[in-house]
Amino acid sequence: EALGDDWGLLFVALSYRWLAKDHPDPDRFHQDIVAAVAKLYLDGGPQFQFKGAEGSPLAAAFKRAGLGEENADFAFFQDFPCLFQKPRTPSEDELFKKGLSLLDVWYGHEQAVCWQQTELPPGFAEKMEMLGLAQSYEESGWCFVEATVSAGVKVGKRRLNLGKRTKRAMLSDGGLLQLQRLA
């Protein structure tokens, strides 16, 4: 309530391409990117540029609400750690199905944020081509659904394509974050 119209910044859902059948990120490719972006999202500082505004939008919202930008925090949804994976007990399977039925809230709510991690490791497309599987984020069925649901009602600043970040954006000395809105 204290954040007013910025309350949706508290909720971030990650859309990303699984890199293996049994584990979406066995070598931490996605995790390393997402962790670096999350740090900037929490405490970008004055050198941080987000959609033309200076500083982290989340920290700015906390500051405007009198909550202290140093207290900025957010809930993060990623399917693999948040939903029970196989093998599942019958009760876990029930919870898994219930969770699946609520994904539209995370990805589709107009106020929640969707991070689309579209970048894939070198050689991934070729490996998938040999297996006859989707080679890119855009060709993946789940990613397509998540991207489509998130595009339905969100304003551009609530959808970030992490694959469009720049090397300069990720510099630890405070480079500019140049995440771009999806077309």
Side-chain angles (χ1 to χ4, degrees), residues 54-70:
E54 189 175 284
S56 160
L58 183 66
F62 271 67
K63 183 177 181 179
R64 280 191 303 276
L67 301 172
E69 59 191 315
E70 70 280 359

Side-chain angles (χ1 to χ4, degrees), residues 66-114:
L67 301 172
E69 59 191 315
E70 70 280 359
N71 295 317
D73 204 354
F74 66 100
F76 183 76
F77 175 82
Q78 180 180 359
D79 60 355
F80 186 71
C82 293
L83 298 174
F84 286 106
Q85 302 299 313
K86 290 183 180 178
R88 295 186 284 264
T89 66
S91 62
E92 290 171 342
D93 199 49
E94 256 184 66
L95 290 171
F96 172 79
K97 290 175 185 174
K98 176 115 172 130
L100 279 183
S101 75
L102 298 171
L103 291 182
D104 61 317
V105 175
W106 279 98
Y107 293 103
H109 195 283
E110 66 183 2
Q111 292 297 321
V113 177
C114 182

